[in-house]
Amino acid sequence: MKLADLSTGPDWIIWIIFIIFAVLSIVLLLGHGSWFISGYNTASKEEKEKYNEKKLCRTMGIGMSVLTFLIFIMGLLENILPAFFVYIALGIVFIDVLVIIILGNTICKK
């Protein structure tokens, strides 16, 4: 069973999601787009001063780039990848989110 056998929707949806994630990754990697970071955009001014905004944006951008690359690989190779790759992708997402949280709360603080 291939990954494409699990897909029930049109293929163009995955490419739209990929483009959205790619644009968000680029904006964050450039050090902008802090309003996209949940928790940071709603934090008080005193709480925001504890973080290096550019470093936080870049850290989130790198994490978002990992997810973007994963979506690209899954969209491009859906007819080749086996169905159990979904579990591998889930593990990659879990580890990526864990690393983003740890780095966001350690190296991104002033």
Side-chain angles (χ1 to χ4, degrees):
M1 181 182 262
K2 301 292 181 198
L3 189 60
D5 298 333
L6 300 176
S7 176
T8 58
D11 289 343
W12 60 268
I13 292 176
I14 196 76
W15 296 113
I16 297 295
I17 293 171
F18 166 73
I19 291 169
I20 292 169
F21 274 42
V23 169
L24 289 175
S25 296
I26 291 168
V27 168
L28 287 168
L29 284 171
L30 292 174
H32 304 292
S34 63
W35 62 89
F36 289 125
I37 302 172
S38 179
Y40 184 76
N41 63 352
T42 59
S44 65
K45 197 167 238 178
E46 296 82 28
E47 193 67 30
K48 285 183 179 180
E49 289 175 0
K50 294 179 183 178
Y51 291 91
N52 182 338
E53 185 176 330
K54 284 218 181 267
K55 194 179 280 190
L56 183 64
C57 286
R58 289 188 179 134
T59 301
M60 298 298 163
I62 291 170
M64 191 78 174
S65 297
V66 171
L67 298 178
T68 304
F69 182 71
L70 184 62
I71 290 172
F72 177 73
I73 293 299
M74 289 176 72
L76 191 64
L77 303 175
E78 71 177 342
N79 292 321
I80 299 170
L81 292 172
F84 72 85
F85 188 77
V86 171
Y87 298 113
I88 296 170
L90 185 64
I92 292 170
V93 169
F94 180 74
I95 291 169
D96 185 46
V97 168
L98 192 65
V99 169
I100 289 172
I101 291 171
I102 291 170
L103 292 178
N105 288 309
T106 55
I107 67 167
C108 296
K109 286 196 173 184
K110 290 184 180 177

